[in-house]
């Protein structure tokens, strides 16, 4: 397996790396993160509760709804309120780690959890689900940042989508670092067209119009609007039908290069993917094979990040989901 020379910086809840930083001195080691993703991501660990001085071991906290205000209070002594410290930590972490391209969070934590953290009434009855205070502040400070919980990475579709978003965002940060120019954004858009189309056709059309008009407005404003729309459009895994639509579009580039038999084989592989018989990698590998056979004519489709949004060794499209 070839490992990328430059790993992508991604923040992670420290207990997922196996560090004993939980309130009870335990950890939440996640093997997928430490044995697979660690080859691709340069993890930036954070334990907000330890970093605000709560120590290990410590009394557990929970989220309490005080007349609409969500507070992180010690479970045994509600006079101990850590909300402001955790919120400030989330904002300052984002501010001091502008290079990070994603965040992998521990589920159910009143600090790090993102989806479905229990929210209680002051009398201890659970009433709802919400977001941990550190993660809420982090996401507010950078709404573009791809964020996922470790448990949800067990789902093949969510895992693929998160890693794809991390790589997409990393390419955007690299573009920003090199300097935002109309031609850089046009090139970025051109290479992400089919990836975007596979997620959201309306956003694909809207961003196409934005790019066509790029000379008429402030480039920084266009760049902000562009990346907000793109990251929001790709935030959820696409349905199989949308992938099939893109695969057929890409097949159109081969009209002059494949015979009847090749065409039938490609169409069959797309149909087999649509019906859940084969994973997405099958029609994609076939398409790549044909593009590469006449690569001088097919630089445009070969440059599409849809065909290779992240290192193929991750094998994220080899599952049927
Ligand atoms: S969930 Fe977050 S706050 Fe809790 S132990 Fe893990 S890193 Fe620390």
């Amino acid at each position: 397996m070839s490992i990328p020379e430059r790993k992508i910086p991604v923040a992670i809840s420290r207990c997922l790396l196996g560090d004993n930083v939980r309130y009870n001195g335990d950890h939440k080691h996640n093997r997928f993160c430490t044995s697979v993703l660690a080859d691709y991501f340069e993890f930036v660990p954070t334990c907000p509760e330890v970093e605000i001085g709560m120590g290990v071991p410590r009394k557990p906290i929970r989220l309490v709804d005080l007349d609409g205000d969500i507070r992180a209070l010690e479970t045994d002594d509600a006079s101990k309120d850590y909300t402001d410290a955790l919120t400030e930590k989330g904002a300052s972490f984002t501010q001091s780690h502008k290079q990070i391209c994603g965040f992998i969070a521990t589920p159910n934590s009143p600090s790090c959890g993102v989806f479905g953290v229990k929210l209680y009434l002051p009398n201890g009855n659970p009433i709802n689900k919400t977001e941990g205070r550190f993660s809420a502040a982090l996401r507010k400070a950078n709404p573009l940042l791809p964020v996922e919980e470790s448990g949800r990475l067990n789902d093949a579709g969510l895992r693929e989508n998160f890693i794809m978003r991390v790589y997409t965002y990393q390419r955007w940060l690299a573009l920003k670092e090199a300097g935002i120019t109309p031609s850089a954004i046009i090139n970025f858009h051109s290479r992400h067209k089919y990836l975007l189309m596979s997620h959201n056709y309306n956003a694909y059309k809207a961003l196409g119009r934005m790019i066509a008009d790029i000379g008429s407005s402030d480039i920084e404003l266009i760049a902000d609007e562009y990346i907000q729309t793109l990251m929001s459009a790709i935030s959820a895994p696409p349905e199989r039908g949308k992938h099939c639509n893109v695969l057929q579009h890409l097949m159109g580039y081969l009209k002059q290069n494949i015979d009847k038999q090749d065409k039938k084989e490609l169409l069959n592989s797309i149909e087999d993917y649509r019906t859940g018989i084969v994973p997405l990698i099958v029609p994609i590998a076939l398409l790549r094979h044909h593009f590469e056979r006449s690569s001088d004519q097919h630089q445009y489709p070969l440059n599409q990040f849809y065909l290779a949004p992240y290192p193929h060794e991750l094998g994220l499209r080899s599952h049927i989901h």
Side-chain angles (χ1 to χ4, degrees):
M1 180 174 76
S2 66
I3 303 300
E5 273 174 30
R6 194 171 162 221
K7 295 184 184 179
I8 297 182
V10 169
I12 188 166
S13 296
R14 204 174 134 190
C15 54
L16 295 175
L17 297 180
D19 291 351
N20 295 313
V21 288
R22 295 192 71 213
Y23 72 96
N24 56 3
D26 211 344
H27 59 75
K28 280 279 214 178
H29 182 210
N30 184 283
R31 208 159 287 285
F32 177 67
C33 291
T34 58
S35 62
V36 177
L37 292 182
D39 285 338
Y40 302 88
F41 294 169
E42 185 71 54
F43 282 129
V44 180
T46 177
C47 176
E49 291 181 15
V50 167
E51 287 162 26
I52 64 168
M54 290 174 71
V56 184
R58 56 187 173 273
K59 297 276 175 139
I61 57 173
R62 66 181 175 190
L63 298 179
V64 180
D65 185 335
L66 297 182
D67 294 328
D69 187 13
I70 299 173
R71 311 298 297 179
L73 309 178
E74 196 173 292
T75 306
D76 292 343
D77 179 0
S79 69
K80 293 192 177 141
D81 185 335
Y82 297 97
T83 319
D84 295 343
L86 288 168
T87 302
E88 275 161 32
K89 191 76 205 147
S92 66
F93 182 86
T94 311
Q95 198 57 31
S96 56
H97 293 89
K98 289 191 172 158
Q99 83 289 5
I100 61 165
C101 301
F103 174 45
I104 302 176
T106 305
N108 305 320
S109 156
S111 302
C112 294
V114 182
F115 311 102
V117 181
K118 273 189 185 155
L119 178 64
Y120 295 87
L121 286 171
N123 66 10
N125 288 338
I127 44 159
N128 212 334
K129 299 279 170 76
T130 186
E131 190 174 3
R133 295 301 83 190
F134 171 80
S135 289
L138 178 142
R139 275 158 42 100
K140 190 173 172 204
N142 183 4
L144 297 176
L145 193 71
V147 173
E148 192 48 277
E149 288 181 343
S150 56
R152 285 166 44 105
L153 291 176
N154 292 328
D155 178 293
L158 295 174
R159 179 167 67 233
E160 194 275 346
N161 182 260
F162 172 67
I163 293 170
M164 177 277 295
R165 284 184 290 136
V166 166
Y167 275 87
T168 303
Y169 189 53
Q170 188 261 340
R171 291 190 287 271
W172 179 257
L173 291 187
L175 177 154
K176 271 181 79 177
E177 200 181 322
I180 290 178
T181 62
S183 65
I185 298 179
I186 290 167
N187 183 45
F188 183 93
H189 180 67
S190 165
R191 297 190 66 189
H192 288 83
K193 259 188 187 175
Y194 287 104
L195 187 69
L196 177 59
M197 191 198 267
S198 71
H199 283 80
N200 187 321
Y201 192 78
N202 289 337
Y204 162 79
K205 296 297 275 184
L207 289 181
R209 285 193 296 273
M210 190 188 290
I211 293 298
D213 213 23
I214 201 162
S216 63
S217 317
D218 181 287
I219 189 68
E220 298 288 338
L221 287 179
I222 293 246
D224 284 349
E225 200 183 331
Y226 176 85
I227 194 61
Q228 278 167 31
T229 308
L230 179 84
M231 293 307 291
S232 158
I234 63 173
S235 62
E239 297 129 26
R240 278 194 213 145
K242 288 184 178 159
H243 275 302
C244 292
N245 183 34
V246 167
L247 293 166
Q248 278 160 350
H249 265 85
L250 286 169
M251 219 182 123
Y253 288 94
L254 292 167
K255 258 187 207 147
Q256 315 297 329
N257 307 83
I258 53 173
D259 60 21
K260 257 174 127 179
Q261 185 57 34
D262 288 338
K263 187 176 172 193
K264 194 171 163 216
E265 191 183 24
L266 260 170
L267 285 172
N268 284 345
S269 74
I270 295 173
E271 194 50 31
D272 283 350
Y273 166 68
R274 188 198 303 279
T275 51
I277 295 170
V278 299
L280 182 58
I281 193 64
V282 172
I284 288 205
L286 254 185
L287 274 170
R288 282 194 72 98
H289 163 77
H290 289 296
F291 288 143
E292 276 161 7
R293 275 205 323 195
S294 44
S295 58
D296 47 333
Q297 292 172 50
H298 292 119
Q299 280 310 298
Y300 182 73
L302 279 171
N303 278 333
Q304 286 298 314
F305 284 113
Y306 178 74
L307 294 180
Y310 36 70
H312 80 274
E313 292 89 346
L314 278 161
L316 299 172
R317 285 166 159 177
S318 306
H319 305 270
I320 295 171
H321 54 85

